[in-house]
Amino acid sequence: MAQTHYITDDVFIYIHGGPGTQYRILGSIEAGQTITLLNETQNEYSKIRDHKNREGWVKSELIETGTSLRNRLPLLEAELAKTKTTLSQLDQSSESVAQELTSANNQIASLQSELSRVINERDSSNQQLQSMKDNAQSKMWQQGAMIAGLGALIGIILVYLPRPQRKQKSRWM
């Protein structure tokens, strides 16, 4: 089967009975219309069969391979509609994500303030604990100093107290 070809999209051309403009015009072909190239060329003309099954000749430079704009336009419009739908969904999704992000940022700010409060409370508790340890240690030192002082005082007093004399035991008595 012959490859499908198209008349270029930017012209309205006549199909001639032979390879040139001096031949009779058989009809016209609209831009973008599907044709079949019949593998016969002379000079600058190619033999074709149009969508109405007419055989004739057109300028070779006006024939293109590939899909014409006439056929591509509906496909592109469908793709555009699909893309618009996808974009709309992405916009909605983006709005939803933006709301979630705002909510998450608010929650983060709240948690950060709570963390700051808890850190301050912890530092205050650590200071109180350290103060209590210092006070306890200070009291222990004070008590130890008082005990040592009392012991030294008692020792000094005992040194200066007169001692009772022992009676000498005599053997003869």
Side-chain angles (χ1 to χ4, degrees):
M1 183 172 164
Q3 184 179 7
T4 303
H5 292 75
Y6 301 90
I7 296 299
T8 57
D9 292 317
D10 57 351
V11 294
F12 178 87
I13 64 168
Y14 293 109
I15 183 169
H16 295 275
T21 55
Q22 68 274 20
Y23 294 93
R24 180 174 66 97
I25 296 175
L26 302 176
S28 63
I29 303 175
E30 294 178 10
Q33 195 61 252
T34 304
I35 61 165
T36 304
L37 191 59
L38 299 178
N39 293 329
E40 192 176 331
T41 58
Q42 287 185 15
N43 299 333
E44 299 170 0
Y45 287 83
S46 297
K47 190 168 187 180
I48 63 159
R49 181 176 301 120
D50 71 359
H51 64 290
K52 294 179 182 176
N53 228 12
R54 299 179 294 193
E55 289 187 9
W57 295 80
V58 295
K59 276 194 154 192
S60 298
E61 66 184 30
L62 300 177
I63 298 173
E64 290 184 1
T65 57
T67 307
S68 71
L69 288 178
R70 172 183 282 190
N71 294 333
R72 276 188 275 167
L73 184 61
L75 297 174
L76 291 174
E77 286 175 340
E79 188 175 332
L80 178 62
K82 181 180 174 185
T83 303
K84 283 181 178 180
T85 302
T86 303
L87 183 59
S88 173
Q89 290 171 350
L90 288 175
D91 281 346
Q92 290 172 356
S93 173
S94 136
E95 289 174 11
S96 168
V97 168
Q99 289 174 352
E100 289 176 15
L101 182 60
T102 301
S103 172
N105 284 339
N106 291 340
Q107 190 175 8
I108 287 172
S110 171
L111 290 173
Q112 284 177 334
S113 69
E114 180 69 16
L115 177 63
S116 177
R117 185 189 65 75
V118 168
I119 287 173
N120 288 339
E121 196 174 297
R122 180 204 63 192
D123 291 345
S124 174
S125 295
N126 283 342
Q127 286 176 347
Q128 287 177 352
L129 179 61
Q130 188 62 39
S131 176
M132 289 171 66
K133 284 181 181 177
D134 290 346
N135 286 342
Q137 192 173 25
S138 176
K139 281 184 181 182
M140 283 178 45
W141 278 101
Q142 287 173 355
Q143 290 172 353
M146 285 175 38
I147 291 172
L150 272 172
L153 185 62
I154 290 174
I156 291 172
I157 292 174
L158 284 178
V159 168
Y160 288 108
L161 282 178
R163 287 190 187 165
Q165 294 281 334
R166 277 193 202 176
K167 288 186 182 179
Q168 289 187 348
K169 290 184 181 181
S170 92
R171 289 189 181 171
W172 302 105
M173 214 184 170

mmCIF file of all heavy atoms in Angstrom, residues 13-34:
data_model
loop_
_atom_site.group_PDB
_atom_site.id
_atom_site.type_symbol
_atom_site.label_atom_id
_atom_site.label_comp_id
_atom_site.label_asym_id
_atom_site.label_seq_id
_atom_site.Cartn_x
_atom_site.Cartn_y
_atom_site.Cartn_z
ATOM 1 N N ILE A 13 -5.202 24.207 -3.979
ATOM 2 C CA ILE A 13 -4.604 23.941 -5.286
ATOM 3 C C ILE A 13 -5.584 23.233 -6.219
ATOM 4 O O ILE A 13 -6.572 22.646 -5.783
ATOM 5 C CB ILE A 13 -3.317 23.100 -5.163
ATOM 6 C CG1 ILE A 13 -3.623 21.716 -4.591
ATOM 7 C CG2 ILE A 13 -2.293 23.792 -4.316
ATOM 8 C CD1 ILE A 13 -2.468 20.759 -4.711
ATOM 9 N N TYR A 14 -5.229 23.330 -7.492
ATOM 10 C CA TYR A 14 -6.024 22.641 -8.512
ATOM 11 C C TYR A 14 -5.305 21.367 -8.899
ATOM 12 O O TYR A 14 -4.086 21.300 -8.940
ATOM 13 C CB TYR A 14 -6.196 23.524 -9.757
ATOM 14 C CG TYR A 14 -7.035 24.749 -9.480
ATOM 15 C CD1 TYR A 14 -6.452 26.017 -9.439
ATOM 16 C CD2 TYR A 14 -8.404 24.624 -9.287
ATOM 17 C CE1 TYR A 14 -7.224 27.132 -9.197
ATOM 18 C CE2 TYR A 14 -9.175 25.747 -9.041
ATOM 19 C CZ TYR A 14 -8.580 26.992 -8.988
ATOM 20 O OH TYR A 14 -9.342 28.083 -8.755
ATOM 21 N N ILE A 15 -6.124 20.350 -9.213
ATOM 22 C CA ILE A 15 -5.583 19.094 -9.717
ATOM 23 C C ILE A 15 -5.755 19.138 -11.239
ATOM 24 O O ILE A 15 -6.826 19.436 -11.746
ATOM 25 C CB ILE A 15 -6.279 17.875 -9.053
ATOM 26 C CG1 ILE A 15 -5.660 16.575 -9.513
ATOM 27 C CG2 ILE A 15 -7.752 17.888 -9.262
ATOM 28 C CD1 ILE A 15 -6.121 15.362 -8.711
ATOM 29 N N HIS A 16 -4.634 18.923 -11.931
ATOM 30 C CA HIS A 16 -4.630 19.033 -13.396
ATOM 31 C C HIS A 16 -4.647 17.642 -14.033
ATOM 32 O O HIS A 16 -4.228 16.661 -13.421
ATOM 33 C CB HIS A 16 -3.371 19.784 -13.866
ATOM 34 C CG HIS A 16 -3.343 21.205 -13.403
ATOM 35 N ND1 HIS A 16 -3.971 22.217 -14.083
ATOM 36 C CD2 HIS A 16 -2.766 21.798 -12.320
ATOM 37 C CE1 HIS A 16 -3.775 23.356 -13.452
ATOM 38 N NE2 HIS A 16 -3.045 23.117 -12.364
ATOM 39 N N GLY A 17 -5.072 17.605 -15.278
ATOM 40 C CA GLY A 17 -5.141 16.349 -16.031
ATOM 41 C C GLY A 17 -3.766 15.881 -16.480
ATOM 42 O O GLY A 17 -3.614 14.731 -16.906
ATOM 43 N N GLY A 18 -2.747 16.702 -16.409
ATOM 44 C CA GLY A 18 -1.399 16.338 -16.825
ATOM 45 C C GLY A 18 -0.369 17.097 -16.011
ATOM 46 O O GLY A 18 -0.707 17.931 -15.175
ATOM 47 N N PRO A 19 0.931 16.837 -16.248
ATOM 48 C CA PRO A 19 2.006 17.436 -15.448
ATOM 49 C C PRO A 19 2.310 18.876 -15.864
ATOM 50 O O PRO A 19 3.374 19.171 -16.390
ATOM 51 C CB PRO A 19 3.180 16.513 -15.689
ATOM 52 C CG PRO A 19 2.936 15.925 -17.029
ATOM 53 C CD PRO A 19 1.459 15.829 -17.184
ATOM 54 N N GLY A 20 1.401 19.783 -15.624
ATOM 55 C CA GLY A 20 1.640 21.184 -15.919
ATOM 56 C C GLY A 20 0.356 21.970 -15.840
ATOM 57 O O GLY A 20 -0.752 21.417 -15.832
ATOM 58 N N THR A 21 0.492 23.300 -15.857
ATOM 59 C CA THR A 21 -0.692 24.149 -15.761
ATOM 60 C C THR A 21 -1.425 24.269 -17.094
ATOM 61 O O THR A 21 -2.551 24.757 -17.134
ATOM 62 C CB THR A 21 -0.295 25.564 -15.275
ATOM 63 O OG1 THR A 21 0.699 26.078 -16.145
ATOM 64 C CG2 THR A 21 0.199 25.530 -13.859
ATOM 65 N N GLN A 22 -0.809 23.825 -18.173
ATOM 66 C CA GLN A 22 -1.465 23.898 -19.474
ATOM 67 C C GLN A 22 -2.526 22.808 -19.641
ATOM 68 O O GLN A 22 -3.318 22.868 -20.581
ATOM 69 C CB GLN A 22 -0.422 23.835 -20.620
ATOM 70 C CG GLN A 22 0.292 22.531 -20.780
ATOM 71 C CD GLN A 22 1.538 22.404 -19.894
ATOM 72 O OE1 GLN A 22 1.684 23.112 -18.905
ATOM 73 N NE2 GLN A 22 2.413 21.490 -20.234
ATOM 74 N N TYR A 23 -2.557 21.828 -18.740
ATOM 75 C CA TYR A 23 -3.558 20.751 -18.806
ATOM 76 C C TYR A 23 -4.829 21.199 -18.114
ATOM 77 O O TYR A 23 -4.838 22.093 -17.268
ATOM 78 C CB TYR A 23 -3.013 19.463 -18.168
ATOM 79 C CG TYR A 23 -1.866 18.871 -18.940
ATOM 80 C CD1 TYR A 23 -0.546 19.189 -18.616
ATOM 81 C CD2 TYR A 23 -2.099 18.008 -20.017
ATOM 82 C CE1 TYR A 23 0.513 18.652 -19.333
ATOM 83 C CE2 TYR A 23 -1.052 17.479 -20.734
ATOM 84 C CZ TYR A 23 0.257 17.804 -20.389
ATOM 85 O OH TYR A 23 1.296 17.274 -21.099
ATOM 86 N N ARG A 24 -5.880 20.521 -18.470
ATOM 87 C CA ARG A 24 -7.206 20.838 -17.965
ATOM 88 C C ARG A 24 -7.265 20.650 -16.445
ATOM 89 O O ARG A 24 -6.654 19.750 -15.883
ATOM 90 C CB ARG A 24 -8.211 19.911 -18.661
ATOM 91 C CG ARG A 24 -9.635 20.092 -18.268
ATOM 92 C CD ARG A 24 -10.558 19.219 -19.125
ATOM 93 N NE ARG A 24 -10.358 17.793 -18.917
ATOM 94 C CZ ARG A 24 -11.094 17.033 -18.114
ATOM 95 N NH1 ARG A 24 -12.089 17.557 -17.460
ATOM 96 N NH2 ARG A 24 -10.851 15.766 -17.968
ATOM 97 N N ILE A 25 -8.032 21.526 -15.753
ATOM 98 C CA ILE A 25 -8.241 21.425 -14.306
ATOM 99 C C ILE A 25 -9.362 20.432 -14.060
ATOM 100 O O ILE A 25 -10.474 20.588 -14.583
ATOM 101 C CB ILE A 25 -8.592 22.803 -13.706
ATOM 102 C CG1 ILE A 25 -7.418 23.775 -13.879
ATOM 103 C CG2 ILE A 25 -8.986 22.669 -12.250
ATOM 104 C CD1 ILE A 25 -7.717 25.186 -13.422
ATOM 105 N N LEU A 26 -9.041 19.398 -13.238
ATOM 106 C CA LEU A 26 -10.032 18.365 -12.930
ATOM 107 C C LEU A 26 -10.855 18.714 -11.683
ATOM 108 O O LEU A 26 -11.933 18.155 -11.484
ATOM 109 C CB LEU A 26 -9.336 17.021 -12.709
ATOM 110 C CG LEU A 26 -8.486 16.499 -13.871
ATOM 111 C CD1 LEU A 26 -7.789 15.215 -13.477
ATOM 112 C CD2 LEU A 26 -9.362 16.266 -15.106
ATOM 113 N N GLY A 27 -10.309 19.567 -10.877
ATOM 114 C CA GLY A 27 -10.990 19.947 -9.636
ATOM 115 C C GLY A 27 -9.992 20.626 -8.703
ATOM 116 O O GLY A 27 -8.880 20.956 -9.101
ATOM 117 N N SER A 28 -10.402 20.806 -7.487
ATOM 118 C CA SER A 28 -9.505 21.433 -6.506
ATOM 119 C C SER A 28 -9.383 20.531 -5.284
ATOM 120 O O SER A 28 -10.243 19.698 -5.017
ATOM 121 C CB SER A 28 -10.035 22.801 -6.108
ATOM 122 O OG SER A 28 -11.283 22.670 -5.467
ATOM 123 N N ILE A 29 -8.301 20.756 -4.589
ATOM 124 C CA ILE A 29 -8.052 20.002 -3.349
ATOM 125 C C ILE A 29 -7.795 21.031 -2.256
ATOM 126 O O ILE A 29 -6.980 21.932 -2.414
ATOM 127 C CB ILE A 29 -6.830 19.079 -3.476
ATOM 128 C CG1 ILE A 29 -7.014 18.117 -4.644
ATOM 129 C CG2 ILE A 29 -6.597 18.318 -2.193
ATOM 130 C CD1 ILE A 29 -5.802 17.260 -4.909
ATOM 131 N N GLU A 30 -8.497 20.878 -1.151
ATOM 132 C CA GLU A 30 -8.324 21.802 -0.027
ATOM 133 C C GLU A 30 -7.012 21.506 0.689
ATOM 134 O O GLU A 30 -6.527 20.377 0.694
ATOM 135 C CB GLU A 30 -9.473 21.640 0.958
ATOM 136 C CG GLU A 30 -10.802 22.058 0.424
ATOM 137 C CD GLU A 30 -11.912 21.824 1.435
ATOM 138 O OE1 GLU A 30 -11.604 21.510 2.605
ATOM 139 O OE2 GLU A 30 -13.081 21.946 1.039
ATOM 140 N N ALA A 31 -6.473 22.544 1.298
ATOM 141 C CA ALA A 31 -5.251 22.385 2.080
ATOM 142 C C ALA A 31 -5.481 21.368 3.193
ATOM 143 O O ALA A 31 -6.523 21.358 3.829
ATOM 144 C CB ALA A 31 -4.844 23.722 2.672
ATOM 145 N N GLY A 32 -4.515 20.500 3.391
ATOM 146 C CA GLY A 32 -4.584 19.491 4.434
ATOM 147 C C GLY A 32 -5.333 18.231 4.046
ATOM 148 O O GLY A 32 -5.443 17.308 4.841
ATOM 149 N N GLN A 33 -5.857 18.152 2.839
ATOM 150 C CA GLN A 33 -6.613 16.980 2.389
ATOM 151 C C GLN A 33 -5.665 15.797 2.171
ATOM 152 O O GLN A 33 -4.552 15.947 1.699
ATOM 153 C CB GLN A 33 -7.341 17.326 1.083
ATOM 154 C CG GLN A 33 -8.416 16.363 0.687
ATOM 155 C CD GLN A 33 -9.522 16.276 1.718
ATOM 156 O OE1 GLN A 33 -9.608 15.270 2.389
ATOM 157 N NE2 GLN A 33 -10.326 17.306 1.858
ATOM 158 N N THR A 34 -6.115 14.599 2.483
ATOM 159 C CA THR A 34 -5.316 13.388 2.309
ATOM 160 C C THR A 34 -5.290 12.994 0.835
ATOM 161 O O THR A 34 -6.323 13.027 0.159
ATOM 162 C CB THR A 34 -5.924 12.217 3.123
ATOM 163 O OG1 THR A 34 -6.021 12.608 4.477
ATOM 164 C CG2 THR A 34 -5.077 10.976 3.017
#
